[in-house]
Amino acid sequence: MADEEFHSEERRKEEHAIVLDFLQHGYAFDDRPSHQKTSIVQALGIQNFTLLELVPKKDIILQPFEEVYIGDEKRDKIHHIKGRLPFERLTATARSELEPTVGELVAKNESRFVEFFNKAQPLTTRMHQLELLPGLGKKHMWEVIEARKEKPFENFLDVRKRVRLMPDPKTIVMKRIISELEGKEKHRVFVH
């Protein structure tokens, strides 16, 4: 699978999201009368790690970490998707729920991220996609490339066992995703 295929496969429309925060009475800074305010859900898309602002259906109460369907079919809890949510607009609660939510999604979809270690390609003649992960320099990059030539990695533990002094793959993938969500990265690897 070429690099382009890896990314195009990942860019499907979000079908499900994880609730980061539920604001039953809308945003505090919304100065409209309370009868005009709508509930707001700050959520993270499962497929592309997209930060989203959702409007739940009337009288629906949602909890952090709850998974909601946001696809094109009939939605049971979400009325509509208001749009993408800039990281700066996340509430304190949503920010505190972000890291554990990303961690859980990375763990649940381990094979997807192990595939990144197996398929990552050079970005330029001087920079490789693997080097975009925090804590991975040229030395680790070459060790990963050599190890995957022998046999593709099967899971995070396999990456860690076969690459000497390798930082925890799950942790570095999580850190990269959060850094991309914060808008700190020029190249996006996991967040679309």
Side-chain angles (χ1 to χ4, degrees):
M1 178 188 319
D3 182 42
E4 300 80 39
E5 290 174 33
F6 177 80
H7 286 296
S8 65
E9 181 183 299
E10 303 304 313
R11 291 184 189 198
R12 291 188 303 245
K13 190 175 176 186
E14 296 287 8
E15 293 278 321
H16 295 89
I18 302 289
V19 174
L20 297 174
D21 196 7
F22 174 67
L23 303 153
Q24 188 172 3
H25 304 292
Y27 289 113
F29 59 77
D30 185 350
D31 53 6
R32 293 180 299 170
S34 59
H35 70 278
Q36 290 181 341
K37 291 183 181 182
T38 58
S39 297
I40 294 290
V41 176
Q42 292 191 337
L44 180 67
I46 290 176
Q47 182 66 31
N48 301 314
F49 295 99
T50 310
L51 289 172
L52 297 166
E53 195 170 46
L54 312 171
V55 176
K57 289 187 173 183
K58 191 171 172 50
D59 300 325
I60 292 287
I61 304 292
L62 297 167
Q63 300 297 320
F65 299 115
E66 187 173 341
E67 186 175 320
V68 291
Y69 176 73
I70 58 171
D72 293 332
E73 304 300 317
K74 186 174 180 346
R75 300 178 187 145
D76 56 341
K77 296 180 179 180
I78 301 300
H79 185 271
H80 67 275
I81 300 169
K82 197 168 180 182
R84 288 181 181 262
L85 180 65
F87 182 84
E88 303 76 48
R89 289 221 13 226
L90 285 178
T91 63
T93 301
R95 285 179 195 223
S96 70
E97 302 299 343
L98 189 60
E99 191 172 321
T101 301
V102 169
E104 190 175 311
L105 291 174
V106 169
K108 266 189 189 172
N109 299 291
E110 182 175 349
S111 61
R112 171 183 167 193
F113 300 103
V114 171
E115 188 71 5
F116 173 77
F117 284 94
N118 286 325
K119 302 289 185 183
Q121 299 293 315
L123 291 168
T124 67
T125 54
R126 294 175 182 239
M127 178 67 117
H128 197 281
Q129 280 183 317
L130 289 168
E131 292 177 274
L132 298 176
L133 297 176
L136 239 69
K138 293 240 184 265
K139 186 177 180 204
H140 280 123
M141 175 203 69
W142 285 114
E143 287 184 37
V144 168
I145 291 169
E146 290 305 312
R148 74 185 190 189
K149 280 181 187 174
E150 295 169 21
K151 178 180 137 197
F153 296 109
E154 294 173 17
N155 52 42
F156 286 146
L157 185 60
D158 188 29
V159 175
R160 194 130 190 223
K161 279 182 182 175
R162 292 170 47 200
V163 179
R164 291 181 327 113
L165 303 173
M166 175 76 176
D168 178 37
K170 178 186 172 199
T171 303
I172 61 176
V173 167
M174 281 174 47
K175 284 181 180 177
R176 178 65 194 200
I177 291 168
I178 290 169
S179 187
E180 288 180 29
L181 287 169
E182 291 172 344
K184 295 179 180 177
E185 304 298 339
K186 177 181 170 185
H187 300 285
R188 289 180 168 223
V189 181
F190 304 116
V191 176
H192 301 288

PDB file of all heavy atoms in Angstrom, residues 1-15 46-50 109-116 119 189-192:
ATOM      1  N   MET A   1       0.850  -1.177   0.000  1.00  0.00           N
ATOM      2  CA  MET A   1       0.000   0.000   0.000  1.00  0.00           C
ATOM      3  C   MET A   1       0.896   1.241   0.000  1.00  0.00           C
ATOM      4  O   MET A   1       1.730   1.399   0.851  1.00  0.00           O
ATOM      5  CB  MET A   1      -0.881  -0.021   1.254  1.00  0.00           C
ATOM      6  CG  MET A   1      -1.754   1.186   1.372  1.00  0.00           C
ATOM      7  SD  MET A   1      -2.669   1.367   2.926  1.00  0.00           S
ATOM      8  CE  MET A   1      -3.226  -0.228   3.328  1.00  0.00           C
ATOM      9  N   ALA A   2       0.681   2.122  -0.951  1.00  0.00           N
ATOM     10  CA  ALA A   2       1.472   3.348  -1.039  1.00  0.00           C
ATOM     11  C   ALA A   2       1.017   4.326   0.039  1.00  0.00           C
ATOM     12  O   ALA A   2      -0.060   4.209   0.600  1.00  0.00           O
ATOM     13  CB  ALA A   2       1.303   3.972  -2.422  1.00  0.00           C
ATOM     14  N   ASP A   3       1.885   5.323   0.289  1.00  0.00           N
ATOM     15  CA  ASP A   3       1.589   6.331   1.302  1.00  0.00           C
ATOM     16  C   ASP A   3       0.254   7.029   1.016  1.00  0.00           C
ATOM     17  O   ASP A   3      -0.546   7.257   1.902  1.00  0.00           O
ATOM     18  CB  ASP A   3       2.739   7.342   1.336  1.00  0.00           C
ATOM     19  CG  ASP A   3       2.541   8.386   2.400  1.00  0.00           C
ATOM     20  OD1 ASP A   3       2.120   8.011   3.507  1.00  0.00           O
ATOM     21  OD2 ASP A   3       2.812   9.566   2.129  1.00  0.00           O
ATOM     22  N   GLU A   4       0.017   7.351  -0.251  1.00  0.00           N
ATOM     23  CA  GLU A   4      -1.227   8.045  -0.611  1.00  0.00           C
ATOM     24  C   GLU A   4      -2.436   7.183  -0.261  1.00  0.00           C
ATOM     25  O   GLU A   4      -3.444   7.672   0.215  1.00  0.00           O
ATOM     26  CB  GLU A   4      -1.275   8.382  -2.112  1.00  0.00           C
ATOM     27  CG  GLU A   4      -0.160   9.266  -2.604  1.00  0.00           C
ATOM     28  CD  GLU A   4       1.145   8.517  -2.862  1.00  0.00           C
ATOM     29  OE1 GLU A   4       1.112   7.388  -3.373  1.00  0.00           O
ATOM     30  OE2 GLU A   4       2.199   9.066  -2.511  1.00  0.00           O
ATOM     31  N   GLU A   5      -2.309   5.864  -0.516  1.00  0.00           N
ATOM     32  CA  GLU A   5      -3.409   4.966  -0.202  1.00  0.00           C
ATOM     33  C   GLU A   5      -3.637   4.920   1.302  1.00  0.00           C
ATOM     34  O   GLU A   5      -4.768   4.885   1.749  1.00  0.00           O
ATOM     35  CB  GLU A   5      -3.105   3.553  -0.712  1.00  0.00           C
ATOM     36  CG  GLU A   5      -3.123   3.443  -2.210  1.00  0.00           C
ATOM     37  CD  GLU A   5      -2.684   2.060  -2.676  1.00  0.00           C
ATOM     38  OE1 GLU A   5      -2.953   1.070  -1.975  1.00  0.00           O
ATOM     39  OE2 GLU A   5      -2.055   1.999  -3.735  1.00  0.00           O
ATOM     40  N   PHE A   6      -2.551   4.921   2.082  1.00  0.00           N
ATOM     41  CA  PHE A   6      -2.669   4.898   3.545  1.00  0.00           C
ATOM     42  C   PHE A   6      -3.499   6.094   3.996  1.00  0.00           C
ATOM     43  O   PHE A   6      -4.404   5.967   4.793  1.00  0.00           O
ATOM     44  CB  PHE A   6      -1.278   4.936   4.200  1.00  0.00           C
ATOM     45  CG  PHE A   6      -1.320   4.994   5.699  1.00  0.00           C
ATOM     46  CD1 PHE A   6      -1.544   3.851   6.444  1.00  0.00           C
ATOM     47  CD2 PHE A   6      -1.149   6.195   6.369  1.00  0.00           C
ATOM     48  CE1 PHE A   6      -1.577   3.887   7.829  1.00  0.00           C
ATOM     49  CE2 PHE A   6      -1.192   6.241   7.754  1.00  0.00           C
ATOM     50  CZ  PHE A   6      -1.409   5.085   8.477  1.00  0.00           C
ATOM     51  N   HIS A   7      -3.195   7.262   3.430  1.00  0.00           N
ATOM     52  CA  HIS A   7      -3.912   8.468   3.852  1.00  0.00           C
ATOM     53  C   HIS A   7      -5.318   8.549   3.281  1.00  0.00           C
ATOM     54  O   HIS A   7      -6.229   8.961   3.968  1.00  0.00           O
ATOM     55  CB  HIS A   7      -3.110   9.717   3.498  1.00  0.00           C
ATOM     56  CG  HIS A   7      -1.935   9.905   4.406  1.00  0.00           C
ATOM     57  ND1 HIS A   7      -2.080  10.128   5.745  1.00  0.00           N
ATOM     58  CD2 HIS A   7      -0.612   9.851   4.166  1.00  0.00           C
ATOM     59  CE1 HIS A   7      -0.885  10.216   6.311  1.00  0.00           C
ATOM     60  NE2 HIS A   7       0.019  10.044   5.371  1.00  0.00           N
ATOM     61  N   SER A   8      -5.532   8.154   2.011  1.00  0.00           N
ATOM     62  CA  SER A   8      -6.868   8.262   1.438  1.00  0.00           C
ATOM     63  C   SER A   8      -7.823   7.314   2.156  1.00  0.00           C
ATOM     64  O   SER A   8      -8.985   7.616   2.342  1.00  0.00           O
ATOM     65  CB  SER A   8      -6.851   7.982  -0.063  1.00  0.00           C
ATOM     66  OG  SER A   8      -6.470   6.646  -0.309  1.00  0.00           O
ATOM     67  N   GLU A   9      -7.314   6.165   2.581  1.00  0.00           N
ATOM     68  CA  GLU A   9      -8.118   5.215   3.330  1.00  0.00           C
ATOM     69  C   GLU A   9      -8.567   5.840   4.644  1.00  0.00           C
ATOM     70  O   GLU A   9      -9.649   5.576   5.135  1.00  0.00           O
ATOM     71  CB  GLU A   9      -7.262   3.970   3.597  1.00  0.00           C
ATOM     72  CG  GLU A   9      -7.975   2.890   4.349  1.00  0.00           C
ATOM     73  CD  GLU A   9      -7.044   1.733   4.645  1.00  0.00           C
ATOM     74  OE1 GLU A   9      -6.537   1.115   3.694  1.00  0.00           O
ATOM     75  OE2 GLU A   9      -6.828   1.474   5.840  1.00  0.00           O
ATOM     76  N   GLU A  10      -7.738   6.671   5.232  1.00  0.00           N
ATOM     77  CA  GLU A  10      -8.021   7.268   6.529  1.00  0.00           C
ATOM     78  C   GLU A  10      -8.976   8.469   6.433  1.00  0.00           C
ATOM     79  O   GLU A  10      -9.486   8.913   7.438  1.00  0.00           O
ATOM     80  CB  GLU A  10      -6.721   7.737   7.191  1.00  0.00           C
ATOM     81  CG  GLU A  10      -5.692   6.656   7.377  1.00  0.00           C
ATOM     82  CD  GLU A  10      -6.193   5.465   8.161  1.00  0.00           C
ATOM     83  OE1 GLU A  10      -6.808   5.668   9.225  1.00  0.00           O
ATOM     84  OE2 GLU A  10      -5.991   4.333   7.709  1.00  0.00           O
ATOM     85  N   ARG A  11      -9.186   9.010   5.254  1.00  0.00           N
ATOM     86  CA  ARG A  11      -9.941  10.268   5.133  1.00  0.00           C
ATOM     87  C   ARG A  11     -11.433  10.090   4.925  1.00  0.00           C
ATOM     88  O   ARG A  11     -12.101  10.990   4.454  1.00  0.00           O
ATOM     89  CB  ARG A  11      -9.354  11.110   3.999  1.00  0.00           C
ATOM     90  CG  ARG A  11      -7.996  11.616   4.361  1.00  0.00           C
ATOM     91  CD  ARG A  11      -7.458  12.512   3.328  1.00  0.00           C
ATOM     92  NE  ARG A  11      -6.074  12.747   3.687  1.00  0.00           N
ATOM     93  CZ  ARG A  11      -5.353  13.716   3.237  1.00  0.00           C
ATOM     94  NH1 ARG A  11      -5.846  14.552   2.382  1.00  0.00           N
ATOM     95  NH2 ARG A  11      -4.112  13.858   3.620  1.00  0.00           N
ATOM     96  N   ARG A  12     -11.941   8.949   5.260  1.00  0.00           N
ATOM     97  CA  ARG A  12     -13.378   8.754   5.155  1.00  0.00           C
ATOM     98  C   ARG A  12     -14.079   9.716   6.107  1.00  0.00           C
ATOM     99  O   ARG A  12     -13.530  10.147   7.106  1.00  0.00           O
ATOM    100  CB  ARG A  12     -13.737   7.321   5.511  1.00  0.00           C
ATOM    101  CG  ARG A  12     -13.260   6.309   4.490  1.00  0.00           C
ATOM    102  CD  ARG A  12     -13.823   4.956   4.803  1.00  0.00           C
ATOM    103  NE  ARG A  12     -13.439   4.560   6.149  1.00  0.00           N
ATOM    104  CZ  ARG A  12     -12.662   3.544   6.435  1.00  0.00           C
ATOM    105  NH1 ARG A  12     -12.164   2.805   5.487  1.00  0.00           N
ATOM    106  NH2 ARG A  12     -12.371   3.241   7.684  1.00  0.00           N
ATOM    107  N   LYS A  13     -15.336   9.994   5.781  1.00  0.00           N
ATOM    108  CA  LYS A  13     -16.147  10.879   6.606  1.00  0.00           C
ATOM    109  C   LYS A  13     -16.351  10.265   7.992  1.00  0.00           C
ATOM    110  O   LYS A  13     -16.488   9.059   8.131  1.00  0.00           O
ATOM    111  CB  LYS A  13     -17.490  11.061   5.900  1.00  0.00           C
ATOM    112  CG  LYS A  13     -18.361  12.112   6.486  1.00  0.00           C
ATOM    113  CD  LYS A  13     -19.586  12.285   5.631  1.00  0.00           C
ATOM    114  CE  LYS A  13     -20.509  13.277   6.276  1.00  0.00           C
ATOM    115  NZ  LYS A  13     -21.767  13.386   5.561  1.00  0.00           N
ATOM    116  N   GLU A  14     -16.371  11.109   8.994  1.00  0.00           N
ATOM    117  CA  GLU A  14     -16.601  10.629  10.361  1.00  0.00           C
ATOM    118  C   GLU A  14     -18.002  10.019  10.464  1.00  0.00           C
ATOM    119  O   GLU A  14     -18.978  10.612  10.019  1.00  0.00           O
ATOM    120  CB  GLU A  14     -16.480  11.779  11.369  1.00  0.00           C
ATOM    121  CG  GLU A  14     -15.112  12.409  11.467  1.00  0.00           C
ATOM    122  CD  GLU A  14     -14.076  11.551  12.183  1.00  0.00           C
ATOM    123  OE1 GLU A  14     -14.358  10.373  12.503  1.00  0.00           O
ATOM    124  OE2 GLU A  14     -12.979  12.070  12.418  1.00  0.00           O
ATOM    125  N   GLU A  15     -18.072   8.840  11.050  1.00  0.00           N
ATOM    126  CA  GLU A  15     -19.352   8.160  11.273  1.00  0.00           C
ATOM    127  C   GLU A  15     -19.716   8.159  12.761  1.00  0.00           C
ATOM    128  O   GLU A  15     -20.879   8.154  13.117  1.00  0.00           O
ATOM    129  CB  GLU A  15     -19.269   6.700  10.790  1.00  0.00           C
ATOM    130  CG  GLU A  15     -19.114   6.570   9.286  1.00  0.00           C
ATOM    131  CD  GLU A  15     -20.432   6.674   8.568  1.00  0.00           C
ATOM    132  OE1 GLU A  15     -21.443   6.140   9.051  1.00  0.00           O
ATOM    133  OE2 GLU A  15     -20.447   7.320   7.495  1.00  0.00           O
ATOM    134  N   ILE A  46     -13.871   9.542  15.602  1.00  0.00           N
ATOM    135  CA  ILE A  46     -13.093   8.319  15.816  1.00  0.00           C
ATOM    136  C   ILE A  46     -12.159   8.008  14.653  1.00  0.00           C
ATOM    137  O   ILE A  46     -11.024   7.599  14.860  1.00  0.00           O
ATOM    138  CB  ILE A  46     -14.051   7.135  16.078  1.00  0.00           C
ATOM    139  CG1 ILE A  46     -14.709   7.319  17.438  1.00  0.00           C
ATOM    140  CG2 ILE A  46     -13.323   5.803  15.994  1.00  0.00           C
ATOM    141  CD1 ILE A  46     -15.741   6.270  17.785  1.00  0.00           C
ATOM    142  N   GLN A  47     -12.597   8.214  13.436  1.00  0.00           N
ATOM    143  CA  GLN A  47     -11.807   7.817  12.260  1.00  0.00           C
ATOM    144  C   GLN A  47     -10.647   8.770  11.969  1.00  0.00           C
ATOM    145  O   GLN A  47      -9.532   8.343  11.754  1.00  0.00           O
ATOM    146  CB  GLN A  47     -12.732   7.735  11.029  1.00  0.00           C
ATOM    147  CG  GLN A  47     -12.048   7.288   9.769  1.00  0.00           C
ATOM    148  CD  GLN A  47     -11.550   5.863   9.822  1.00  0.00           C
ATOM    149  OE1 GLN A  47     -12.120   5.011  10.479  1.00  0.00           O
ATOM    150  NE2 GLN A  47     -10.445   5.600   9.149  1.00  0.00           N
ATOM    151  N   ASN A  48     -10.930  10.069  11.947  1.00  0.00           N
ATOM    152  CA  ASN A  48      -9.932  11.056  11.517  1.00  0.00           C
ATOM    153  C   ASN A  48      -9.453  11.978  12.640  1.00  0.00           C
ATOM    154  O   ASN A  48      -8.760  12.946  12.376  1.00  0.00           O
ATOM    155  CB  ASN A  48     -10.501  11.918  10.384  1.00  0.00           C
ATOM    156  CG  ASN A  48     -10.902  11.075   9.195  1.00  0.00           C
ATOM    157  OD1 ASN A  48     -10.161  10.198   8.768  1.00  0.00           O
ATOM    158  ND2 ASN A  48     -12.086  11.325   8.660  1.00  0.00           N
ATOM    159  N   PHE A  49      -9.877  11.712  13.869  1.00  0.00           N
ATOM    160  CA  PHE A  49      -9.506  12.553  15.009  1.00  0.00           C
ATOM    161  C   PHE A  49      -9.878  14.016  14.752  1.00  0.00           C
ATOM    162  O   PHE A  49      -9.104  14.922  15.022  1.00  0.00           O
ATOM    163  CB  PHE A  49      -8.019  12.420  15.344  1.00  0.00           C
ATOM    164  CG  PHE A  49      -7.630  11.056  15.812  1.00  0.00           C
ATOM    165  CD1 PHE A  49      -7.055  10.144  14.952  1.00  0.00           C
ATOM    166  CD2 PHE A  49      -7.871  10.667  17.120  1.00  0.00           C
ATOM    167  CE1 PHE A  49      -6.713   8.868  15.383  1.00  0.00           C
ATOM    168  CE2 PHE A  49      -7.533   9.397  17.568  1.00  0.00           C
ATOM    169  CZ  PHE A  49      -6.949   8.492  16.686  1.00  0.00           C
ATOM    170  N   THR A  50     -11.080  14.226  14.246  1.00  0.00           N
ATOM    171  CA  THR A  50     -11.566  15.577  13.970  1.00  0.00           C
ATOM    172  C   THR A  50     -12.278  16.101  15.211  1.00  0.00           C
ATOM    173  O   THR A  50     -13.150  15.420  15.759  1.00  0.00           O
ATOM    174  CB  THR A  50     -12.570  15.553  12.790  1.00  0.00           C
ATOM    175  OG1 THR A  50     -11.998  14.824  11.708  1.00  0.00           O
ATOM    176  CG2 THR A  50     -12.931  16.949  12.336  1.00  0.00           C
ATOM    177  N   ASN A 109      -7.496   0.748  18.107  1.00  0.00           N
ATOM    178  CA  ASN A 109      -7.145   0.662  16.681  1.00  0.00           C
ATOM    179  C   ASN A 109      -5.654   0.435  16.496  1.00  0.00           C
ATOM    180  O   ASN A 109      -5.057   0.968  15.558  1.00  0.00           O
ATOM    181  CB  ASN A 109      -7.587   1.948  15.965  1.00  0.00           C
ATOM    182  CG  ASN A 109      -9.079   2.152  16.060  1.00  0.00           C
ATOM    183  OD1 ASN A 109      -9.845   1.414  15.460  1.00  0.00           O
ATOM    184  ND2 ASN A 109      -9.499   3.122  16.852  1.00  0.00           N
ATOM    185  N   GLU A 110      -5.062  -0.364  17.370  1.00  0.00           N
ATOM    186  CA  GLU A 110      -3.624  -0.585  17.361  1.00  0.00           C
ATOM    187  C   GLU A 110      -3.112  -0.996  15.985  1.00  0.00           C
ATOM    188  O   GLU A 110      -2.087  -0.496  15.525  1.00  0.00           O
ATOM    189  CB  GLU A 110      -3.263  -1.648  18.403  1.00  0.00           C
ATOM    190  CG  GLU A 110      -1.787  -1.911  18.509  1.00  0.00           C
ATOM    191  CD  GLU A 110      -1.437  -2.887  19.629  1.00  0.00           C
ATOM    192  OE1 GLU A 110      -2.304  -3.221  20.461  1.00  0.00           O
ATOM    193  OE2 GLU A 110      -0.268  -3.312  19.667  1.00  0.00           O
ATOM    194  N   SER A 111      -3.822  -1.883  15.308  1.00  0.00           N
ATOM    195  CA  SER A 111      -3.341  -2.373  14.008  1.00  0.00           C
ATOM    196  C   SER A 111      -3.189  -1.238  12.990  1.00  0.00           C
ATOM    197  O   SER A 111      -2.266  -1.253  12.183  1.00  0.00           O
ATOM    198  CB  SER A 111      -4.265  -3.460  13.458  1.00  0.00           C
ATOM    199  OG  SER A 111      -5.560  -2.948  13.273  1.00  0.00           O
ATOM    200  N   ARG A 112      -4.073  -0.260  13.056  1.00  0.00           N
ATOM    201  CA  ARG A 112      -3.974   0.896  12.152  1.00  0.00           C
ATOM    202  C   ARG A 112      -2.660   1.654  12.360  1.00  0.00           C
ATOM    203  O   ARG A 112      -2.009   2.065  11.401  1.00  0.00           O
ATOM    204  CB  ARG A 112      -5.166   1.821  12.407  1.00  0.00           C
ATOM    205  CG  ARG A 112      -5.088   3.149  11.717  1.00  0.00           C
ATOM    206  CD  ARG A 112      -6.277   4.006  12.085  1.00  0.00           C
ATOM    207  NE  ARG A 112      -6.073   5.370  11.672  1.00  0.00           N
ATOM    208  CZ  ARG A 112      -6.816   6.379  12.073  1.00  0.00           C
ATOM    209  NH1 ARG A 112      -7.828   6.182  12.880  1.00  0.00           N
ATOM    210  NH2 ARG A 112      -6.559   7.601  11.666  1.00  0.00           N
ATOM    211  N   PHE A 113      -2.248   1.813  13.609  1.00  0.00           N
ATOM    212  CA  PHE A 113      -1.040   2.580  13.905  1.00  0.00           C
ATOM    213  C   PHE A 113       0.219   1.738  13.719  1.00  0.00           C
ATOM    214  O   PHE A 113       1.260   2.264  13.344  1.00  0.00           O
ATOM    215  CB  PHE A 113      -1.141   3.203  15.296  1.00  0.00           C
ATOM    216  CG  PHE A 113      -2.327   4.124  15.385  1.00  0.00           C
ATOM    217  CD1 PHE A 113      -3.488   3.739  16.031  1.00  0.00           C
ATOM    218  CD2 PHE A 113      -2.301   5.351  14.747  1.00  0.00           C
ATOM    219  CE1 PHE A 113      -4.601   4.564  16.054  1.00  0.00           C
ATOM    220  CE2 PHE A 113      -3.404   6.189  14.766  1.00  0.00           C
ATOM    221  CZ  PHE A 113      -4.547   5.793  15.419  1.00  0.00           C
ATOM    222  N   VAL A 114       0.107   0.440  13.947  1.00  0.00           N
ATOM    223  CA  VAL A 114       1.228  -0.458  13.661  1.00  0.00           C
ATOM    224  C   VAL A 114       1.476  -0.449  12.151  1.00  0.00           C
ATOM    225  O   VAL A 114       2.624  -0.459  11.704  1.00  0.00           O
ATOM    226  CB  VAL A 114       0.952  -1.884  14.191  1.00  0.00           C
ATOM    227  CG1 VAL A 114       1.991  -2.868  13.704  1.00  0.00           C
ATOM    228  CG2 VAL A 114       0.901  -1.867  15.717  1.00  0.00           C
ATOM    229  N   GLU A 115       0.406  -0.367  11.379  1.00  0.00           N
ATOM    230  CA  GLU A 115       0.527  -0.280   9.916  1.00  0.00           C
ATOM    231  C   GLU A 115       1.327   0.965   9.517  1.00  0.00           C
ATOM    232  O   GLU A 115       2.085   0.940   8.561  1.00  0.00           O
ATOM    233  CB  GLU A 115      -0.875  -0.256   9.288  1.00  0.00           C
ATOM    234  CG  GLU A 115      -0.902  -0.368   7.794  1.00  0.00           C
ATOM    235  CD  GLU A 115      -0.528  -1.755   7.276  1.00  0.00           C
ATOM    236  OE1 GLU A 115      -0.322  -2.682   8.082  1.00  0.00           O
ATOM    237  OE2 GLU A 115      -0.427  -1.885   6.054  1.00  0.00           O
ATOM    238  N   PHE A 116       1.165   2.046  10.272  1.00  0.00           N
ATOM    239  CA  PHE A 116       1.969   3.248  10.004  1.00  0.00           C
ATOM    240  C   PHE A 116       3.450   2.931  10.152  1.00  0.00           C
ATOM    241  O   PHE A 116       4.257   3.319   9.306  1.00  0.00           O
ATOM    242  CB  PHE A 116       1.559   4.399  10.935  1.00  0.00           C
ATOM    243  CG  PHE A 116       2.453   5.600  10.811  1.00  0.00           C
ATOM    244  CD1 PHE A 116       2.318   6.460   9.732  1.00  0.00           C
ATOM    245  CD2 PHE A 116       3.444   5.849  11.745  1.00  0.00           C
ATOM    246  CE1 PHE A 116       3.164   7.564   9.595  1.00  0.00           C
ATOM    247  CE2 PHE A 116       4.285   6.939  11.617  1.00  0.00           C
ATOM    248  CZ  PHE A 116       4.142   7.799  10.538  1.00  0.00           C
ATOM    249  N   LYS A 119       4.471   0.963   7.086  1.00  0.00           N
ATOM    250  CA  LYS A 119       4.337   1.557   5.749  1.00  0.00           C
ATOM    251  C   LYS A 119       4.863   2.984   5.606  1.00  0.00           C
ATOM    252  O   LYS A 119       4.884   3.517   4.509  1.00  0.00           O
ATOM    253  CB  LYS A 119       2.855   1.565   5.333  1.00  0.00           C
ATOM    254  CG  LYS A 119       2.203   0.210   5.328  1.00  0.00           C
ATOM    255  CD  LYS A 119       2.698  -0.633   4.202  1.00  0.00           C
ATOM    256  CE  LYS A 119       1.927  -1.953   4.172  1.00  0.00           C
ATOM    257  NZ  LYS A 119       2.398  -2.848   3.169  1.00  0.00           N
ATOM    258  N   VAL A 189      -0.104  13.643  10.214  1.00  0.00           N
ATOM    259  CA  VAL A 189       0.047  12.223   9.959  1.00  0.00           C
ATOM    260  C   VAL A 189      -1.263  11.483  10.268  1.00  0.00           C
ATOM    261  O   VAL A 189      -1.707  10.646   9.509  1.00  0.00           O
ATOM    262  CB  VAL A 189       1.194  11.623  10.814  1.00  0.00           C
ATOM    263  CG1 VAL A 189       1.375  10.152  10.524  1.00  0.00           C
ATOM    264  CG2 VAL A 189       2.488  12.372  10.578  1.00  0.00           C
ATOM    265  N   PHE A 190      -1.884  11.825  11.387  1.00  0.00           N
ATOM    266  CA  PHE A 190      -3.056  11.084  11.857  1.00  0.00           C
ATOM    267  C   PHE A 190      -4.343  11.896  11.905  1.00  0.00           C
ATOM    268  O   PHE A 190      -5.419  11.348  11.861  1.00  0.00           O
ATOM    269  CB  PHE A 190      -2.778  10.518  13.261  1.00  0.00           C
ATOM    270  CG  PHE A 190      -1.560   9.655  13.337  1.00  0.00           C
ATOM    271  CD1 PHE A 190      -0.471  10.030  14.103  1.00  0.00           C
ATOM    272  CD2 PHE A 190      -1.481   8.467  12.623  1.00  0.00           C
ATOM    273  CE1 PHE A 190       0.667   9.231  14.178  1.00  0.00           C
ATOM    274  CE2 PHE A 190      -0.351   7.666  12.679  1.00  0.00           C
ATOM    275  CZ  PHE A 190       0.726   8.052  13.462  1.00  0.00           C
ATOM    276  N   VAL A 191      -4.251  13.211  12.032  1.00  0.00           N
ATOM    277  CA  VAL A 191      -5.435  14.080  12.162  1.00  0.00           C
ATOM    278  C   VAL A 191      -5.742  14.676  10.795  1.00  0.00           C
ATOM    279  O   VAL A 191      -4.879  15.253  10.157  1.00  0.00           O
ATOM    280  CB  VAL A 191      -5.170  15.206  13.187  1.00  0.00           C
ATOM    281  CG1 VAL A 191      -6.357  16.157  13.250  1.00  0.00           C
ATOM    282  CG2 VAL A 191      -4.880  14.616  14.556  1.00  0.00           C
ATOM    283  N   HIS A 192      -7.005  14.512  10.381  1.00  0.00           N
ATOM    284  CA  HIS A 192      -7.407  15.053   9.067  1.00  0.00           C
ATOM    285  C   HIS A 192      -8.548  16.034   9.238  1.00  0.00           C
ATOM    286  O   HIS A 192      -9.359  15.905  10.088  1.00  0.00           O
ATOM    287  CB  HIS A 192      -7.819  13.929   8.126  1.00  0.00           C
ATOM    288  CG  HIS A 192      -6.722  12.940   7.915  1.00  0.00           C
ATOM    289  ND1 HIS A 192      -5.613  13.206   7.176  1.00  0.00           N
ATOM    290  CD2 HIS A 192      -6.562  11.690   8.396  1.00  0.00           C
ATOM    291  CE1 HIS A 192      -4.814  12.153   7.183  1.00  0.00           C
ATOM    292  NE2 HIS A 192      -5.367  11.224   7.921  1.00  0.00           N
TER     293      HIS A 192
END
